[in-house]
Amino acid sequence: MARTPAENIDVLRDRIRTSEDITDDDIEVLIKFSHQLFLLATEYSDHRHEKLLCHCTRMAEEVGGLADALDERNAAEDIVRWINRTYDNEETNRDYRVAPETTHDSEHPPESNRVGVGPDLAQLRPWCSIRRYPPLERSYPAAH
């Protein structure tokens, strides 16, 4: 029997806590992020919570530096490079670039933005808003 999105969130949270591939700082950011999404249940459904947490977890596992990307432009750019090299599908690429934007802190409450997903981009540090980086024109095969 398939799990519900709420059950999948619990599985993801366990994966985050026990992962050897995710740094302690990234674990802390991911769990706080998930806590915030639980608090904002009227704005983020369990389906959306699961998708955002899954994307951010994968970035933390594959690239790392998710916590650093909140304060350091270079760390955010490392994540963008990975997204652009990994996902040539425009929608998937955009979904991954949007996910970290929701890892804001309680001093930057979420508001609807121009495209109706995530918090108001003006509330975020400029380099953390990785959506502003366009997908790269691809001249090389995507990594799998």
Side-chain angles (χ1 to χ4, degrees):
M1 175 181 247
R3 291 189 298 241
T4 66
E7 291 169 330
N8 288 337
I9 292 167
D10 290 338
V11 168
L12 266 172
R13 289 168 59 96
D14 288 341
R15 173 176 148 191
I16 291 164
R17 286 186 184 107
T18 60
S19 176
E20 294 181 13
D21 297 324
I22 302 175
T23 66
D24 290 343
D25 288 343
D26 283 355
I27 289 171
E28 182 179 343
V29 165
L30 289 166
I31 296 301
K32 283 182 180 179
F33 171 57
S34 182
H35 285 318
Q36 288 175 325
L37 293 177
F38 280 130
L39 292 173
L40 300 168
T42 59
E43 294 182 48
Y44 297 97
S45 68
D46 282 347
H47 285 281
R48 186 73 177 143
H49 183 157
E50 176 188 2
K51 184 175 185 176
L52 291 168
L53 187 59
C54 184
H55 285 352
C56 288
T57 300
R58 181 129 194 268
M59 286 182 272
E61 290 171 338
E62 297 293 325
V63 185
L66 198 59
D68 294 335
L70 299 174
D71 295 316
E72 299 172 13
R73 181 184 185 112
N74 288 342
E77 289 178 353
D78 287 344
I79 292 170
V80 173
R81 278 187 210 91
W82 176 81
I83 293 168
N84 285 337
R85 293 194 66 168
T86 305
Y87 299 103
D88 57 355
N89 176 285
E90 185 178 331
E91 291 298 315
T92 303
N93 185 295
R94 181 186 52 80
D95 285 349
Y96 270 85
R97 286 183 285 121
V98 167
E101 292 176 4
T102 59
T103 59
H104 52 79
D105 58 41
S106 59
E107 294 175 21
H108 299 95
E111 297 175 17
S112 295
N113 67 19
R114 289 177 251 127
V115 294
V117 291
D120 180 356
L121 300 182
Q123 297 291 323
L124 299 167
R125 294 171 181 93
W127 52 85
C128 183
S129 298
I130 64 176
R131 183 185 315 173
R132 69 184 178 83
Y133 295 95
L136 295 176
E137 291 298 318
R138 300 191 64 83
S139 59
Y140 48 87
H144 296 289

